[in-house]
Amino acid sequence: MIAAYTGAQVRDAEAPFLARGEGPALMRRAAHGLALACAERLRARRGRVAGARVVVLTGTGNNGGDGLWAGAELARRGASVLAVAVGDRLHPEGAAALAAAGGRVLPLADAPEGEGPARVLAADLVLDAVLGTGARGGLRGAAADLARAVLERWPERDARWSWPATSPPGSRPTRAPSPDRCSPRT
């Protein structure tokens, strides 16, 4: 069994840091831990981080910021990082860090039909930074459409991993979820 924390537990743990105005530092620490875990996974799978294709599925909030900062660290280690933006905006500081490190952004709304799923399926590692601790319900809209399109074509025997950006220290990545985990489009 994999231990997990609820959104409420994570919010409670973060509250003292946020109350002291340490939110940006907390985000950078979380992103650093995520990047280290991802680098370890990439080295185990492919022997190195440099040259790896990493896709960060990026939402509009702080979880998206965590993913963008982690993507920036991986890009500085030589990975080719693409943030697939599923919303109409990105966490500004995280997006700036990714751009400064050489990462790229694909706004899903502007992408040609099928490009988002194709980029995800071609990745060596996918970071899930769409929904954070404040989310209610499953994926909706463009994020749900992207997940469905990817999962319909995800090879059963494939060993790629999706790693949620809100994973606490010591957690493990998960295989791609089933398509029924996406909420119906509303």
Coordinates of all heavy atoms in Angstrom, one line a residue, residues 16-80:
P16 N 1.3 26.9 8.6 CA 2.2 27.7 9.4 C 3.3 28.4 8.5 O 3.6 29.6 8.7 CB 3.0 26.7 10.3 CG 2.1 25.5 10.3 CD 1.4 25.5 9.1
F17 N 3.7 27.8 7.4 CA 4.7 28.4 6.5 C 4.0 29.5 5.7 O 4.6 30.6 5.6 CB 5.2 27.3 5.5 CG 5.9 26.2 6.2 CD1 5.3 25.0 6.5 CD2 7.3 26.4 6.5 CE1 6.0 24.0 7.1 CE2 8.0 25.3 7.2 CZ 7.3 24.1 7.5
L18 N 2.8 29.3 5.3 CA 2.1 30.3 4.5 C 1.8 31.5 5.4 O 1.9 32.7 5.0 CB 0.8 29.7 3.9 CG 1.0 28.6 2.9 CD1 -0.3 28.0 2.5 CD2 1.8 29.1 1.7
A19 N 1.4 31.3 6.7 CA 1.1 32.3 7.6 C 2.3 33.2 7.9 O 2.2 34.4 8.1 CB 0.6 31.8 8.9
R20 N 3.5 32.6 7.8 CA 4.8 33.4 7.9 C 5.2 34.0 6.6 O 6.3 34.6 6.6 CB 5.9 32.5 8.5 CG 5.6 32.1 9.9 CD 6.8 31.4 10.5 NE 7.4 30.3 9.8 CZ 7.1 29.0 10.1 NH1 6.2 28.7 11.1 NH2 7.6 28.0 9.4
G21 N 4.4 33.9 5.6 CA 4.8 34.5 4.3 C 5.9 33.7 3.5 O 6.6 34.2 2.7
E22 N 6.0 32.4 3.9 CA 7.0 31.5 3.3 C 6.5 30.7 2.1 O 7.1 29.7 1.7 CB 7.6 30.6 4.3 CG 8.4 31.4 5.4 CD 8.9 30.5 6.5 OE1 8.9 29.3 6.4 OE2 9.3 31.1 7.6
G23 N 5.4 31.1 1.5 CA 4.8 30.3 0.4 C 5.7 30.1 -0.7 O 5.9 29.0 -1.2
P24 N 6.4 31.2 -1.3 CA 7.3 31.0 -2.4 C 8.5 30.0 -2.0 O 8.8 29.2 -2.9 CB 7.8 32.4 -2.7 CG 6.7 33.3 -2.2 CD 6.2 32.6 -1.0
A25 N 9.0 30.1 -0.8 CA 10.1 29.2 -0.5 C 9.6 27.8 -0.3 O 10.3 26.9 -0.7 CB 10.8 29.7 0.8
L26 N 8.4 27.6 0.2 CA 7.8 26.3 0.3 C 7.6 25.7 -1.1 O 7.9 24.5 -1.3 CB 6.5 26.4 1.1 CG 5.8 25.1 1.4 CD1 6.6 24.3 2.3 CD2 4.4 25.4 2.0
M27 N 7.1 26.5 -2.0 CA 7.0 26.0 -3.4 C 8.3 25.6 -4.0 O 8.4 24.5 -4.6 CB 6.3 27.0 -4.3 CG 6.1 26.6 -5.7 SD 5.3 27.8 -6.7 CE 3.6 27.7 -6.1
R28 N 9.3 26.3 -3.8 CA 10.6 26.0 -4.3 C 11.2 24.7 -3.7 O 11.8 23.9 -4.4 CB 11.6 27.2 -4.1 CG 11.3 28.4 -4.9 CD 11.5 28.3 -6.4 NE 12.9 28.0 -6.7 CZ 13.9 28.8 -6.9 NH1 13.7 30.1 -6.8 NH2 15.1 28.4 -7.3
R29 N 11.0 24.6 -2.4 CA 11.5 23.3 -1.7 C 10.7 22.1 -2.3 O 11.3 21.1 -2.5 CB 11.3 23.4 -0.2 CG 12.4 24.2 0.5 CD 12.4 24.0 2.0 NE 11.2 24.5 2.6 CZ 11.0 25.6 3.2 NH1 12.0 26.5 3.2 NH2 9.8 25.9 3.7
A30 N 9.4 22.2 -2.4 CA 8.6 21.1 -2.9 C 9.0 20.8 -4.3 O 9.2 19.6 -4.7 CB 7.1 21.5 -2.9
A31 N 9.2 21.8 -5.2 CA 9.7 21.6 -6.5 C 11.0 20.9 -6.6 O 11.3 20.1 -7.4 CB 9.6 22.9 -7.3
H32 N 11.9 21.4 -5.7 CA 13.3 20.8 -5.7 C 13.2 19.3 -5.3 O 13.9 18.5 -6.0 CB 14.1 21.5 -4.7 CG 15.5 21.0 -4.5 ND1 16.5 21.1 -5.5 CD2 16.1 20.3 -3.5 CE1 17.6 20.5 -5.2 NE2 17.4 20.0 -3.9
G33 N 12.4 19.0 -4.3 CA 12.3 17.5 -4.0 C 11.7 16.7 -5.1 O 12.1 15.6 -5.4
L34 N 10.7 17.3 -5.8 CA 10.1 16.6 -6.9 C 11.1 16.4 -8.0 O 11.2 15.4 -8.6 CB 8.9 17.4 -7.4 CG 8.2 16.9 -8.7 CD1 7.6 15.5 -8.4 CD2 7.0 17.9 -9.0
A35 N 11.9 17.5 -8.3 CA 12.9 17.4 -9.4 C 13.9 16.3 -9.1 O 14.3 15.6 -9.9 CB 13.5 18.7 -9.6
L36 N 14.3 16.3 -7.8 CA 15.3 15.2 -7.4 C 14.7 13.8 -7.6 O 15.4 12.9 -8.1 CB 15.7 15.4 -5.9 CG 16.6 16.6 -5.6 CD1 16.8 16.7 -4.1 CD2 17.9 16.6 -6.4
A37 N 13.5 13.6 -7.2 CA 12.9 12.3 -7.4 C 12.7 12.0 -8.8 O 12.9 10.8 -9.2 CB 11.5 12.3 -6.7
C38 N 12.4 12.9 -9.6 CA 12.2 12.7 -11.1 C 13.6 12.4 -11.7 O 13.7 11.5 -12.6 CB 11.5 13.9 -11.7 SG 9.8 14.1 -11.3
A39 N 14.6 13.2 -11.3 CA 15.9 12.9 -11.9 C 16.4 11.5 -11.5 O 17.0 10.8 -12.4 CB 16.9 13.9 -11.3
E40 N 16.1 11.1 -10.3 CA 16.5 9.7 -9.9 C 15.7 8.7 -10.8 O 16.3 7.7 -11.2 CB 16.1 9.5 -8.4 CG 16.4 8.1 -7.9 CD 16.0 8.0 -6.4 OE1 16.3 8.9 -5.6 OE2 15.3 7.0 -6.1
R41 N 14.5 8.9 -11.0 CA 13.7 8.0 -11.9 C 14.2 8.0 -13.3 O 14.3 6.9 -13.9 CB 12.2 8.4 -11.9 CG 11.3 7.8 -12.9 CD 11.2 6.3 -12.7 NE 10.7 5.9 -11.5 CZ 10.6 4.6 -11.1 NH1 11.0 3.6 -11.8 NH2 10.1 4.3 -9.9
L42 N 14.6 9.1 -13.8 CA 15.1 9.2 -15.2 C 16.4 8.5 -15.3 O 16.7 7.8 -16.3 CB 15.2 10.6 -15.7 CG 13.9 11.3 -16.0 CD1 14.0 12.8 -16.1 CD2 13.2 10.7 -17.2
R43 N 17.3 8.7 -14.3 CA 18.6 8.0 -14.3 C 18.4 6.5 -14.2 O 19.1 5.8 -14.9 CB 19.5 8.5 -13.2 CG 20.1 9.9 -13.5 CD 21.2 10.2 -12.5 NE 20.7 10.4 -11.1 CZ 20.2 11.5 -10.6 NH1 20.1 12.5 -11.4 NH2 19.8 11.5 -9.4
A44 N 17.5 6.1 -13.4 CA 17.3 4.6 -13.3 C 16.7 4.0 -14.6 O 17.0 2.9 -15.0 CB 16.3 4.3 -12.1
R45 N 15.9 4.8 -15.3 CA 15.2 4.3 -16.5 C 16.1 4.4 -17.7 O 16.2 3.6 -18.6 CB 13.9 5.0 -16.7 CG 13.2 4.6 -17.9 CD 11.9 5.3 -18.1 NE 11.3 5.1 -19.4 CZ 10.5 4.1 -19.7 NH1 10.1 3.3 -18.8 NH2 10.0 4.0 -20.9
R46 N 16.8 5.6 -17.9 CA 17.5 5.9 -19.1 C 19.0 6.1 -18.9 O 19.7 6.4 -19.9 CB 16.9 7.0 -19.9 CG 16.0 7.9 -19.3 CD 15.5 9.1 -20.1 NE 15.9 9.2 -21.5 CZ 16.9 10.0 -21.9 NH1 17.7 10.6 -21.0 NH2 17.3 10.0 -23.1
G47 N 19.5 6.1 -17.7 CA 20.9 6.2 -17.4 C 21.3 7.7 -17.2 O 22.4 7.9 -16.7
R48 N 20.5 8.6 -17.5 CA 20.9 10.0 -17.3 C 19.6 10.9 -17.5 O 18.6 10.5 -18.0 CB 21.9 10.5 -18.3 CG 21.4 10.4 -19.8 CD 22.6 10.7 -20.7 NE 22.1 10.9 -22.1 CZ 21.7 9.9 -22.9 NH1 21.7 8.7 -22.5 NH2 21.3 10.2 -24.1
V49 N 19.7 12.1 -17.0 CA 18.6 13.1 -17.1 C 18.7 13.8 -18.5 O 17.7 14.1 -19.1 CB 18.6 14.1 -16.0 CG1 17.6 15.2 -16.1 CG2 18.4 13.4 -14.6
A50 N 20.0 14.2 -18.8 CA 20.2 14.9 -20.1 C 19.6 14.2 -21.3 O 19.7 13.0 -21.4 CB 21.7 15.2 -20.3
G51 N 18.8 15.0 -22.0 CA 18.2 14.4 -23.2 C 16.8 13.8 -23.0 O 16.1 13.5 -24.0
A52 N 16.4 13.7 -21.8 CA 15.1 13.1 -21.5 C 14.0 14.0 -21.9 O 14.2 15.3 -21.9 CB 15.0 12.8 -20.0
R53 N 12.9 13.5 -22.4 CA 11.7 14.3 -22.8 C 10.8 14.3 -21.6 O 10.2 13.2 -21.2 CB 11.1 13.7 -24.0 CG 11.9 13.8 -25.2 CD 11.4 12.9 -26.3 NE 11.4 11.5 -25.7 CZ 11.1 10.4 -26.4 NH1 10.8 10.5 -27.6 NH2 11.2 9.2 -25.8
V54 N 10.6 15.4 -21.0 CA 9.7 15.6 -19.8 C 8.5 16.5 -20.2 O 8.7 17.6 -20.8 CB 10.5 16.2 -18.6 CG1 9.6 16.4 -17.5 CG2 11.6 15.3 -18.2
V55 N 7.3 16.0 -19.9 CA 6.1 16.9 -20.1 C 5.6 17.2 -18.7 O 5.4 16.3 -17.9 CB 5.1 16.1 -21.0 CG1 3.8 16.9 -20.9 CG2 5.6 16.0 -22.4
V56 N 5.3 18.4 -18.5 CA 4.6 18.9 -17.2 C 3.2 19.3 -17.6 O 3.0 20.3 -18.3 CB 5.4 20.1 -16.6 CG1 4.7 20.5 -15.3 CG2 6.9 19.7 -16.4
L57 N 2.2 18.5 -17.2 CA 0.8 18.9 -17.4 C 0.5 19.9 -16.3 O 0.6 19.6 -15.1 CB -0.1 17.6 -17.2 CG 0.2 16.5 -18.2 CD1 -0.7 15.3 -17.9 CD2 0.1 16.9 -19.6
T58 N 0.3 21.1 -16.8 CA 0.3 22.3 -15.9 C -1.1 23.0 -15.8 O -1.6 23.4 -16.8 CB 1.3 23.3 -16.4 OG1 2.5 22.6 -16.7 CG2 1.5 24.4 -15.4
G59 N -1.6 23.0 -14.5 CA -2.8 23.8 -14.2 C -2.4 25.2 -14.0 O -1.3 25.7 -14.1
T60 N -3.5 26.0 -13.5 CA -3.3 27.4 -13.4 C -2.9 27.9 -12.0 O -2.5 29.0 -11.8 CB -4.7 28.1 -13.7 OG1 -5.7 27.6 -12.8 CG2 -5.1 27.8 -15.1
G61 N -2.9 27.0 -11.0 CA -2.6 27.4 -9.6 C -1.2 27.1 -9.2 O -0.3 26.9 -9.9
N62 N -1.1 27.0 -7.8 CA 0.2 26.7 -7.2 C 0.7 25.4 -7.5 O 1.9 25.2 -7.6 CB 0.1 27.0 -5.7 CG 0.0 28.4 -5.3 OD1 0.4 29.3 -6.1 ND2 -0.5 28.7 -4.2
N63 N -0.1 24.4 -7.7 CA 0.3 23.1 -8.1 C 1.0 23.1 -9.4 O 2.1 22.5 -9.7 CB -0.8 22.1 -8.1 CG -0.3 20.6 -8.1 OD1 0.5 20.2 -7.4 ND2 -0.9 19.8 -9.0
G64 N 0.4 23.9 -10.3 CA 1.1 24.2 -11.6 C 2.4 24.8 -11.4 O 3.4 24.5 -12.1
G65 N 2.5 25.8 -10.5 CA 3.8 26.4 -10.2 C 4.8 25.4 -9.7 O 6.0 25.5 -10.1
D66 N 4.4 24.5 -8.8 CA 5.3 23.4 -8.4 C 5.9 22.7 -9.6 O 7.1 22.4 -9.6 CB 4.6 22.4 -7.5 CG 4.1 23.0 -6.1 OD1 4.7 24.0 -5.7 OD2 3.2 22.3 -5.5
G67 N 5.0 22.3 -10.5 CA 5.5 21.5 -11.6 C 6.4 22.3 -12.5 O 7.4 21.8 -13.1
L68 N 6.1 23.6 -12.7 CA 6.9 24.5 -13.6 C 8.3 24.7 -13.0 O 9.3 24.6 -13.7 CB 6.3 25.8 -13.8 CG 5.0 25.8 -14.6 CD1 4.2 27.1 -14.5 CD2 5.3 25.5 -16.1
W69 N 8.4 24.9 -11.6 CA 9.7 25.0 -11.0 C 10.5 23.7 -11.1 O 11.7 23.7 -11.3 CB 9.5 25.4 -9.5 CG 9.3 26.9 -9.3 CD1 8.1 27.5 -8.9 CD2 10.2 27.9 -9.4 NE1 8.3 28.8 -8.8 CE2 9.6 29.2 -9.1 CE3 11.6 28.0 -9.7 CZ2 10.2 30.4 -9.1 CZ3 12.2 29.2 -9.7 CH2 11.6 30.4 -9.4
A70 N 9.8 22.6 -10.9 CA 10.5 21.3 -11.0 C 10.9 21.1 -12.4 O 12.1 20.6 -12.7 CB 9.5 20.1 -10.6
G71 N 10.1 21.5 -13.4 CA 10.5 21.4 -14.8 C 11.7 22.2 -15.1 O 12.6 21.8 -15.9
A72 N 11.8 23.4 -14.5 CA 13.0 24.3 -14.7 C 14.2 23.6 -14.2 O 15.3 23.7 -14.8 CB 12.7 25.6 -13.9
E73 N 14.1 22.9 -13.0 CA 15.3 22.2 -12.5 C 15.8 21.1 -13.4 O 16.9 20.9 -13.7 CB 15.1 21.7 -11.1 CG 15.1 22.8 -10.0 CD 15.3 22.2 -8.6 OE1 16.0 21.2 -8.5 OE2 14.8 22.8 -7.7
L74 N 14.8 20.4 -13.9 CA 15.1 19.3 -14.9 C 15.7 19.8 -16.2 O 16.6 19.2 -16.7 CB 13.9 18.4 -15.1 CG 13.4 17.6 -13.9 CD1 12.0 17.0 -14.2 CD2 14.4 16.6 -13.5
A75 N 15.2 21.0 -16.6 CA 15.7 21.6 -17.8 C 17.2 22.0 -17.6 O 18.0 21.8 -18.5 CB 14.9 22.8 -18.3
R76 N 17.5 22.5 -16.4 CA 18.9 22.9 -16.1 C 19.8 21.7 -16.1 O 21.0 21.9 -16.2 CB 18.9 23.7 -14.8 CG 18.4 25.2 -15.0 CD 18.8 26.0 -13.8 NE 18.2 25.6 -12.6 CZ 16.9 25.9 -12.2 NH1 16.2 26.7 -12.9 NH2 16.4 25.5 -11.0
R77 N 19.2 20.5 -15.9 CA 20.0 19.3 -15.9 C 20.1 18.7 -17.3 O 20.6 17.6 -17.4 CB 19.4 18.3 -14.9 CG 19.5 18.7 -13.4 CD 18.7 17.8 -12.6 NE 18.8 18.2 -11.2 CZ 19.3 17.4 -10.2 NH1 19.7 16.2 -10.5 NH2 19.3 17.9 -9.0
G78 N 19.5 19.4 -18.2 CA 19.7 18.9 -19.6 C 18.4 18.2 -20.2 O 18.5 17.8 -21.4
A79 N 17.4 18.1 -19.5 CA 16.1 17.5 -20.0 C 15.5 18.5 -20.9 O 15.6 19.7 -20.8 CB 15.2 17.1 -18.9
S80 N 14.8 18.0 -21.9 CA 13.9 18.8 -22.8 C 12.5 18.8 -22.1 O 11.8 17.8 -22.1 CB 13.8 18.1 -24.2 OG 12.9 18.8 -25.0

